Amino acid sequence: MSETKRSWPPRRNIVVGLVAILGIVFSSVVYLSARKNEQRRIEAEFMRRAETRSAHTRERIAQYEGGLFGLSYLLLASQKVTREEFSIAANAMLTRYPGITALEWVAVVPEEKRLEIEETITTELGRPFQFTRPNHQGGIERAPSAPIHYPILYVEPMAGNERAFGFDLAFGPTIKDLANARRHRQVTVSRRIRLIQETADLSSVIFIWPVFKNIEEAPQLLGYVQGVFRLSAILTRDLNGTDGDALDILWIDPREEAPQYRELFSYSPTETLPLLETSFASPEAFAVRIPVGDRHWVALHRPNSAWLASQST
C-alpha cells in the first residue's frame, strides 16, 4: 500500500506563518518593554541611593559645622578659656560627633607676646614649650620670628596629635585659609592636605571658624577654632552594607585644578584602586553638589558593576 504525502492548503500555510511572525513580534515587544521598565527601575533606584547618600553627607557636615560654632561660642563667651575647660567641651563634641581627628584652638599672638606665651605654657605643663614648624628632615623646629603667630595652643585628643601642639600656622599650608576666615567672618575649609601629625598622603581637610569679640563695634580677632577631619571619616562612614553597595563615588573639589587637590576621595565596594574623575564621564554618572563651609564639593556617582549585574533579570 502506497503512502500519500499530506500537504497543507496554501492559505493555511500563510495563516500559520503570520501567526508565528505575530508571536515573535509580540514577544519582542513584551521583552523590549520589560527591559525598558527594568532599566528605568534600576536607574531610579540608583538615583535614589545616590541622593540619599549625599543627603547623609550634607547632614553630617552641617553637624560638624554646628558643633564647631558651639565650641567657638564657648571661647567667645569666656575669652579666657582654660585648657581644662577646652578639653571638657572638645571631648563632649568628639563623643557626640565621631569621625573628628582633632579639635584645636589657634591663638593670635603678636611677636612681642610670643616669649610670654611660651613661658606661661612651659610653666603650666612643667616641660618646655615653643612655637614650632616642620623642617626639611621631616622633624619639627622652633618657628622663626614673624609679625603675627598662629600657634595651636589647645588640641584634643592629644594622643596622636602631639606634633600639632604648638605648630605655628603662620608657617603652615592653611595660612591663606586663616586670612579668608578672618576677612569673611565665616567658616572656611582648607583644600585637601597632609597633617603635620601624619605621614600618609593628602588625606584630611580642616574646618576653620574665626572667633571675634566686639563684633558690632570694633571686631578683634581672638583666634580660630579648628576641626580636623580625615576625608575617609567624613565621606565613607556607614557606606558598607547600605545604599553604598550600589555606588562607585568620587568626591571632587571644583575650586582646585591640580588632581591631587581636586580629587578628594573615592569609594567603591568592589575596586581597590582610587577612582579617577575621567572614569565618571559616562552618561549614567550622576553629580550632586554638597556645600562645605566656603566651598562646595561635588559627589560623582556611577552604578557599581556588581550591583548592576545583581539587578538585571
Side-chain angles (χ1 to χ4, degrees):
M1 187 167 85
S2 61
E3 294 182 358
T4 59
K5 187 176 180 180
R6 186 177 182 182
S7 61
W8 296 101
R11 180 176 295 179
R12 185 167 185 176
N13 288 338
I14 294 173
V15 171
V16 171
L18 288 174
V19 169
I21 292 172
L22 288 174
I24 293 172
V25 170
F26 179 76
S27 297
S28 298
V29 169
V30 170
Y31 168 76
L32 292 175
S33 177
R35 184 177 180 182
K36 190 173 184 179
N37 288 336
E38 180 180 73
Q39 289 175 337
R40 288 175 177 172
R41 177 188 61 79
I42 293 173
E43 181 180 355
E45 179 63 12
F46 160 67
M47 298 279 282
R48 183 196 69 78
R49 294 189 181 211
E51 290 175 343
T52 298
R53 294 313 311 173
S54 294
H56 288 171
T57 302
R58 284 193 293 263
E59 180 181 359
R60 185 172 301 116
I61 289 173
Q63 290 175 346
Y64 291 148
E65 292 180 356
L68 284 177
F69 174 76
L71 194 55
S72 70
Y73 191 80
L74 166 70
L75 292 162
L76 175 62
S78 176
Q79 299 185 16
K80 288 186 178 180
V81 174
T82 66
R83 189 174 306 280
E84 182 180 4
E85 290 172 334
F86 181 85
S87 177
I88 292 172
N91 278 287
M93 184 175 170
L94 290 169
T95 301
R96 184 172 182 181
Y97 303 115
I100 304 175
T101 301
L103 294 171
E104 301 168 340
W105 169 244
V106 179
V108 178
V109 181
E111 175 66 24
E112 59 270 20
K113 292 285 187 179
R114 172 181 180 165
L115 287 178
E116 177 185 340
I117 297 294
E118 289 178 329
E119 291 172 357
T120 299
I121 297 180
T122 293
T123 301
E124 176 188 345
L125 299 179
R127 59 181 175 83
F129 172 84
Q130 60 184 0
F131 300 174
T132 61
R133 72 170 183 180
N135 59 29
H136 297 297
Q137 290 73 41
I140 57 175
E141 63 185 15
R142 179 174 172 79
S145 299
I148 301 292
H149 297 273
Y150 302 97
I152 298 175
L153 299 187
Y154 299 163
V155 57
E156 289 292 338
M158 181 63 75
N161 296 300
E162 292 87 353
R163 284 168 60 91
F165 181 48
F167 179 39
D168 190 346
L169 299 183
F171 304 96
T174 61
I175 186 62
K176 291 183 178 180
D177 298 308
L178 297 178
N180 287 336
R182 178 175 187 169
R183 183 182 308 112
H184 301 294
R185 302 182 192 175
Q186 66 177 20
V187 62
T188 299
V189 179
S190 75
R191 68 183 183 182
R192 185 183 180 211
I193 65 171
R194 180 173 68 86
L195 303 175
I196 188 175
Q197 61 266 44
E198 293 183 328
T199 57
D201 292 333
L202 309 174
S203 60
S204 301
V205 292
I206 300 178
F207 287 45
I208 304 165
W209 199 294
V211 179
F212 292 89
K213 71 174 182 178
N214 300 326
I215 297 178
E216 299 298 332
E217 300 175 1
Q220 179 184 349
L221 181 67
L222 297 177
Y224 302 88
V225 169
Q226 292 196 151
V228 182
F229 301 89
R230 287 187 178 89
L231 287 163
S232 58
I234 294 179
L235 300 175
T236 64
R237 184 181 169 200
D238 302 331
L239 268 174
N240 292 325
T242 62
D243 291 332
D245 291 344
L247 309 171
D248 290 341
I249 313 174
L250 171 64
W251 292 268
I252 64 171
D253 184 349
R255 182 187 294 184
E256 304 294 334
E257 295 184 1
Q260 68 267 32
Y261 301 119
R262 179 179 177 88
E263 295 175 349
L264 296 169
F265 198 82
S266 65
Y267 167 86
S268 173
T270 57
E271 298 187 35
T272 56
L273 294 176
L275 305 177
L276 303 177
E277 188 174 357
T278 53
S279 66
F280 287 80
S282 56
E284 65 267 21
F286 178 58
V288 179
R289 186 176 182 273
I290 302 176
V292 186
D294 62 330
R295 296 176 183 256
H296 76 268
W297 296 344
V298 174
L300 302 176
H301 305 79
R302 70 183 185 192
N304 179 265
S305 57
W307 178 79
L308 277 179
S310 71
Q311 296 296 303
S312 178
T313 61

